[in-house]
Tab-separated table of all heavy atoms in Angstrom:
chain	number	residue	atom	x	y	z
A	192	ASP	N	104.083	113.101	75.584
A	192	ASP	CA	105.481	113.119	75.293
A	192	ASP	C	106.139	114.519	75.659
A	192	ASP	O	106.906	115.174	74.880
A	192	ASP	CB	105.764	112.828	73.696
A	192	ASP	CG	106.006	111.358	73.385
A	192	ASP	OD1	105.451	110.460	74.259
A	192	ASP	OD2	106.754	110.995	72.559
A	225	PRO	N	115.088	103.027	73.469
A	225	PRO	CA	114.492	103.853	72.340
A	225	PRO	C	114.881	105.218	72.276
A	225	PRO	O	114.716	106.017	71.269
A	225	PRO	CB	112.968	103.818	72.658
A	225	PRO	CG	112.839	103.587	74.102
A	225	PRO	CD	114.048	102.713	74.333
A	306	LEU	N	114.824	110.829	61.335
A	306	LEU	CA	113.485	110.975	61.662
A	306	LEU	C	113.062	112.362	62.104
A	306	LEU	O	112.106	112.925	61.613
A	306	LEU	CB	112.908	109.816	62.392
A	306	LEU	CG	111.411	109.810	62.814
A	306	LEU	CD1	110.660	109.729	61.552
A	306	LEU	CD2	111.131	108.561	63.717
A	310	LEU	N	110.627	115.128	60.480
A	310	LEU	CA	109.465	115.626	61.104
A	310	LEU	C	109.504	117.203	61.147
A	310	LEU	O	108.535	117.844	60.969
A	310	LEU	CB	109.337	115.057	62.457
A	310	LEU	CG	108.996	113.504	62.413
A	310	LEU	CD1	109.010	113.157	64.034
A	310	LEU	CD2	107.547	113.283	61.885
A	324	THR	N	107.858	119.475	67.204
A	324	THR	CA	108.744	118.214	67.020
A	324	THR	C	109.637	118.039	68.227
A	324	THR	O	110.270	118.997	68.595
A	324	THR	CB	109.417	118.121	65.733
A	324	THR	OG1	108.635	118.198	64.622
A	324	THR	CG2	110.378	116.956	65.677
A	325	ARG	N	109.608	116.887	68.831
A	325	ARG	CA	110.526	116.790	70.138
A	325	ARG	C	110.850	115.338	70.387
A	325	ARG	O	110.256	114.373	69.776
A	325	ARG	CB	109.732	117.406	71.200
A	325	ARG	CG	108.323	116.704	71.469
A	325	ARG	CD	107.450	117.540	72.379
A	325	ARG	NE	106.253	116.856	72.634
A	325	ARG	CZ	105.260	116.954	71.892
A	325	ARG	NH1	105.236	117.556	70.741
A	325	ARG	NH2	103.974	116.456	72.287
A	329	THR	N	114.596	107.533	68.749
A	329	THR	CA	113.391	107.475	67.906
A	329	THR	C	112.207	107.709	68.811
A	329	THR	O	111.073	107.272	68.408
A	329	THR	CB	113.398	106.149	67.217
A	329	THR	OG1	113.573	105.032	68.229
A	329	THR	CG2	114.488	106.017	66.178
A	330	PHE	N	112.424	108.039	70.020
A	330	PHE	CA	111.279	108.271	71.056
A	330	PHE	C	110.784	109.693	70.825
A	330	PHE	O	111.110	110.570	71.433
A	330	PHE	CB	111.754	108.070	72.345
A	330	PHE	CG	110.716	107.808	73.487
A	330	PHE	CD1	110.336	106.552	73.814
A	330	PHE	CD2	109.946	108.805	74.028
A	330	PHE	CE1	109.464	106.201	74.758
A	330	PHE	CE2	108.989	108.596	74.971
A	330	PHE	CZ	108.789	107.244	75.391
A	331	LEU	N	109.955	109.877	69.682
A	331	LEU	CA	109.694	111.242	69.246
A	331	LEU	C	108.146	111.485	69.183
A	331	LEU	O	107.317	110.580	69.256
A	331	LEU	CB	110.148	111.331	67.779
A	331	LEU	CG	111.720	111.138	67.608
A	331	LEU	CD1	112.102	111.255	66.193
A	331	LEU	CD2	112.471	112.217	68.289
A	332	ALA	N	107.769	112.833	69.048
A	332	ALA	CA	106.363	113.230	68.998
A	332	ALA	C	106.329	114.454	68.263
A	332	ALA	O	107.305	115.199	68.137
A	332	ALA	CB	105.776	113.303	70.316
A	333	ILE	N	105.149	114.755	67.708
A	333	ILE	CA	104.782	115.913	67.090
A	333	ILE	C	103.416	116.368	67.360
A	333	ILE	O	102.633	115.567	67.518
A	333	ILE	CB	105.073	115.850	65.526
A	333	ILE	CG1	105.052	117.292	64.744
A	333	ILE	CG2	104.020	115.003	64.885
A	333	ILE	CD1	105.613	117.265	63.476
A	344	ILE	N	94.974	112.042	61.030
A	344	ILE	CA	96.209	111.576	60.613
A	344	ILE	C	96.690	110.249	60.910
A	344	ILE	O	97.117	109.339	60.153
A	344	ILE	CB	97.302	112.748	61.098
A	344	ILE	CG1	97.154	114.028	60.291
A	344	ILE	CG2	98.749	112.182	60.676
A	344	ILE	CD1	97.990	115.125	60.814
A	348	LEU	N	97.195	107.281	58.316
A	348	LEU	CA	98.400	106.558	58.277
A	348	LEU	C	98.186	105.009	58.312
A	348	LEU	O	98.980	104.236	57.603
A	348	LEU	CB	99.353	106.966	59.326
A	348	LEU	CG	100.124	108.348	59.349
A	348	LEU	CD1	100.660	108.668	60.547
A	348	LEU	CD2	101.126	108.191	58.061
A	353	VAL	N	100.839	102.286	58.027
A	353	VAL	CA	101.673	102.693	59.081
A	353	VAL	C	100.961	102.843	60.467
A	353	VAL	O	99.961	103.537	60.501
A	353	VAL	CB	102.259	104.141	58.647
A	353	VAL	CG1	103.174	104.718	59.961
A	353	VAL	CG2	103.044	104.123	57.481
A	354	LEU	N	101.437	102.199	61.408
A	354	LEU	CA	100.851	102.215	62.692
A	354	LEU	C	101.526	103.285	63.650
A	354	LEU	O	102.776	103.213	63.760
A	354	LEU	CB	100.996	100.893	63.343
A	354	LEU	CG	100.024	99.712	62.916
A	354	LEU	CD1	100.401	98.435	63.667
A	354	LEU	CD2	98.564	100.124	62.976
A	355	SER	N	100.882	104.312	63.914
A	355	SER	CA	101.401	105.324	64.925
A	355	SER	C	100.322	105.353	66.019
A	355	SER	O	99.453	104.581	66.169
A	355	SER	CB	101.451	106.626	64.142
A	355	SER	OG	100.205	106.951	63.652
A	356	GLY	N	100.420	106.366	66.824
A	356	GLY	CA	99.580	106.372	68.024
A	356	GLY	C	99.506	107.827	68.613
A	356	GLY	O	100.364	108.602	68.290
A	358	CYS	N	99.084	110.544	71.780
A	358	CYS	CA	99.364	110.815	73.163
A	358	CYS	C	99.005	112.149	73.539
A	358	CYS	O	98.961	113.080	72.724
A	358	CYS	CB	100.702	110.405	73.617
A	358	CYS	SG	101.977	111.362	72.924
A	363	ILE	N	100.978	113.165	68.078
A	363	ILE	CA	101.345	111.827	67.567
A	363	ILE	C	102.663	111.341	68.123
A	363	ILE	O	103.603	112.149	68.038
A	363	ILE	CB	101.317	111.960	65.947
A	363	ILE	CG1	100.022	112.365	65.350
A	363	ILE	CG2	101.733	110.580	65.414
A	363	ILE	CD1	100.090	112.509	63.884
A	364	ARG	N	102.731	110.162	68.596
A	364	ARG	CA	103.951	109.690	69.089
A	364	ARG	C	104.497	108.632	68.081
A	364	ARG	O	103.781	107.756	67.655
A	364	ARG	CB	103.846	109.208	70.467
A	364	ARG	CG	102.939	107.940	70.718
A	364	ARG	CD	102.903	107.708	72.194
A	364	ARG	NE	101.932	106.495	72.456
A	364	ARG	CZ	101.678	106.117	73.649
A	364	ARG	NH1	102.385	106.627	74.628
A	364	ARG	NH2	100.726	105.180	73.867
A	365	PHE	N	105.826	108.535	68.011
A	365	PHE	CA	106.491	107.589	67.249
A	365	PHE	C	107.368	106.650	67.991
A	365	PHE	O	108.087	107.105	68.858
A	365	PHE	CB	107.387	108.207	66.261
A	365	PHE	CG	106.581	109.267	65.316
A	365	PHE	CD1	106.471	110.623	65.652
A	365	PHE	CD2	105.902	108.815	64.189
A	365	PHE	CE1	105.718	111.475	64.890
A	365	PHE	CE2	105.144	109.669	63.461
A	365	PHE	CZ	105.023	111.099	63.837
A	366	ARG	N	107.072	105.372	67.861
A	366	ARG	CA	107.828	104.366	68.699
A	366	ARG	C	108.331	103.186	67.887
A	366	ARG	O	107.940	102.014	68.137
A	366	ARG	CB	106.832	103.706	69.741
A	366	ARG	CG	106.315	104.819	70.788
A	366	ARG	CD	107.429	105.355	71.655
A	366	ARG	NE	106.750	106.098	72.681
A	366	ARG	CZ	106.587	107.466	72.838
A	366	ARG	NH1	106.837	108.122	71.796
A	366	ARG	NH2	105.979	107.977	73.903
A	367	PRO	N	109.227	103.439	66.939
A	367	PRO	CA	109.590	102.322	66.017
A	367	PRO	C	110.553	101.332	66.846
A	367	PRO	O	111.065	101.739	67.917
A	367	PRO	CB	110.404	103.031	64.973
A	367	PRO	CG	110.715	104.349	65.534
A	367	PRO	CD	109.623	104.718	66.448
A	379	PHE	N	108.541	105.898	55.728
A	379	PHE	CA	107.561	106.643	56.561
A	379	PHE	C	107.240	108.007	56.051
A	379	PHE	O	106.143	108.411	56.006
A	379	PHE	CB	107.988	106.463	58.046
A	379	PHE	CG	107.227	107.429	58.800
A	379	PHE	CD1	105.951	107.202	59.179
A	379	PHE	CD2	107.735	108.643	59.236
A	379	PHE	CE1	105.062	108.028	59.937
A	379	PHE	CE2	106.949	109.558	59.933
A	379	PHE	CZ	105.671	109.229	60.378
A	383	PHE	N	103.872	109.769	55.271
A	383	PHE	CA	103.464	110.743	56.157
A	383	PHE	C	103.206	112.107	55.363
A	383	PHE	O	101.964	112.657	55.643
A	383	PHE	CB	104.521	111.054	57.225
A	383	PHE	CG	104.149	112.060	58.338
A	383	PHE	CD1	102.958	111.865	59.035
A	383	PHE	CD2	104.902	113.080	58.630
A	383	PHE	CE1	102.587	112.701	60.054
A	383	PHE	CE2	104.634	113.911	59.677
A	383	PHE	CZ	103.422	113.760	60.316
Side-chain angles (χ1 to χ4, degrees):
D192 267 28
L306 178 57
L310 293 173
T324 298
R325 59 196 182 278
T329 55
F330 201 97
L331 301 173
I333 193 167
I344 291 175
L348 283 171
V353 178
L354 288 177
S355 58
C358 64
I363 300 174
R364 61 180 175 184
F365 302 94
R366 300 291 192 269
F379 164 73
F383 188 49

